[in-house]
Amino acid sequence: MTRSSFRLRSLSAAVLWVLGFSCLLAASANAVFLGLSTRLGGSGADSIRDVTTDAAGNLYVTGSTTSTDFAGLATSPNGTDVFVAKLDPTGQRILYLELFGGDGFEEAWAIEVDAAGNAHVAGYTASSTFPTRSGYDAVVDGTDLFLLKLDPNGDLLYGTVYGGPDADGEFNGGIGIHGPSGRVYVGSRADSTGLPTLNAFSPYCPAAPCAFVVGFDPAQSGNASLVYASYVTAPDALANQEDGGLLDLDVDASENLYAFGFVNPNAQVVLAGQGFQDASGDPNNNDHVLVKLDPSQSGAAQRVYSTFLGGFGDESERGRIAALDSGIVFVGSKTDSDAGTFPVLNAVQPNNAGGEDGYVAKIDTTIAGAGSQLFTTFLGSTENDEIHAIAVDGAGEPWVAATVGGDAAVLFPQVQPLPGSPRAGEDDDAVVAWLAGDGSAIRFSSATAAGGASSLQGLAVQPSGRVVVAGSRADANFPRRGGLPLAAEGGSEIALVGLDPTGDLGLVLQARATADPARTGDLFAFEYLIRNLGSADAANAVLTTDFPVGLVSPLASASCSLPGSSATCELFEDIPRG
């Protein structure tokens, strides 16, 4: 309970006459609240590439670091090393922190966790001394892909590299785990044209670079641990202009592989009639492709769904997917194609707002042809925008994390934004958006107001419903809410932001005035009581007060000054259930 003169925004209202001016009380709440805001790093250069969660809600993050005091702990990177950190569900405690590296450079680009709490991390390394254990290969040739499996305590259970004499895996990539078998699939881009293949959809890389997928069984060791290896190219080797790479990979419970990437428009990886776009949208620029493979089949028969996704323009060499066991796939990426050529459908933003825009698509890979496209929408501002991450919540609705170029966060679609967002004058702001499952509406869209959480983002939905987004920078204005103790700050930091969708908070306002109406010159105050009758705590509720002209002195409970004219204050409070 607070005693003061306030206006509380709400769904219901009452009017009090104060000093001849009206004071409106209302009770409302944003759909999404800032529940966590913390940074992770040390005195060196730290960056993040991915974040995920397990069934208990623990958070797992991976990226790279040069810090010798990462998160306040004594760390000994050899140049730039990969880090893997496990945090408790609140983000307030590090459960383990491990560094992996050798005498060269390495970078992780994806992490997934299995049902037993084992973390699987994939990326690339140029280190001849990169740590491996019981793997398919331990010798790095040039630049190779790596896969690490860590137990719930962070101990290395399995580690391998895979590649040829050229640069392989030195790009973006994705990882997926087949839960029932424990097999792990990884995809990226290869410059080596003669990678070892096994049960391949396509053994050919006619013109590097080429997209590829490799599968391992970490329960096995040595050569026996390699269970699948294939290029994602034309299986008949007729195409000679692949110029492709995988941006992300996912696996469903039936062990279907979903490979999302980009290809040269003349590549023949898409089989006509399977998807909603049979041909490239631009003969001179790369297009995105989605290919669904069934490794239980042989050769070209593994390709059970494929489609282009692009227009007359260039589709980004970055993007992520989220595949459901039902065969539904959500895609988040970016394009500079316009609406006249890009395949928009049932779009909440039907036009490219300018430059490169993000886009979100929902595809049903169990349906052939045009019916497989459920919706595709642009999502962006007049500047260059890029979606870095996508995840699906328990209701089957997609969340995306994006970077908005320039000072354009104020021009990105804003739906119930967080307090203080967007921030004018901030370059490359991080934005989070929540879309309806059918793409018909944007439920929430806001800059994170996190002091510069920037590119190379990851996004994960915890079992509690909290959405955690990770960015690669935190500036001096970074606000802290919960989270880890502050450690040394270096040239670049990692930002972790938790957003709590609340639904119906059930907030009830009760107010009592000392006098109504009050006479000029009288002291006036009222008490307000907000009760939360909803099903969950309401984090960071916003209470805004407008002081009318003529109020000459602030009340003791007010946290802002009164300049003798109308002024506004905002209070942020947690309102526990009950």
Side-chain angles (χ1 to χ4, degrees), residues 91-114:
Q92 298 186 36
R93 187 163 62 98
I94 294 178
L95 303 180
Y96 69 66
L97 172 65
E98 301 292 340
L99 269 60
F100 298 91
D103 54 7
F105 179 85
E106 37 270 323
E107 184 172 1
W109 32 245
I111 186 169
E112 286 289 341
V113 180
D114 63 25

Side-chain angles (χ1 to χ4, degrees), residues 4 29 69 71 99 123 159 261 267 340 362 365 402 407 414 420 433 454 474 497 575:
S4 190
D69 52 0
L99 269 60
K362 182 179 182 180
T365 64
D407 184 20
Q414 300 290 317
S454 186
V497 177
I575 306 175

Side-chain angles (χ1 to χ4, degrees), residues 224-244:
S225 64
L226 181 70
V227 296
Y228 182 83
S230 176
Y231 290 105
V232 186
T233 58
D236 52 16
L238 294 179
N240 60 5
Q241 293 180 325
E242 291 300 334
D243 185 22

Side-chain angles (χ1 to χ4, degrees), residues 302-366:
Q302 293 181 17
R303 180 176 50 189
V304 295
Y305 181 88
S306 57
T307 190
F308 281 100
L309 184 55
F312 195 81
D314 192 27
E315 273 60 59
S316 165
E317 294 185 3
R318 189 180 300 280
R320 291 293 189 185
I321 63 173
L324 309 182
D325 291 341
S326 63
I328 296 290
V329 180
F330 289 90
V331 178
S333 187
K334 76 171 181 178
T335 177
D336 64 12
S337 299
D338 60 32
T341 61
F342 193 78
V344 293
L345 179 70
N346 301 325
V348 69
Q349 182 183 324
N351 297 306
N352 186 328
E356 296 177 326
D357 261 13
Y359 76 83
V360 181
K362 182 179 182 180
I363 301 168
D364 188 343
T365 64
T366 67

Side-chain angles (χ1 to χ4, degrees), residues 429-456:
D429 238 353
V431 173
V432 180
W434 170 21
L435 278 67
D438 61 1
S440 61
I442 301 174
R443 302 201 187 281
F444 166 81
S445 180
S446 175
T448 61
S454 186
S455 60
L456 299 181

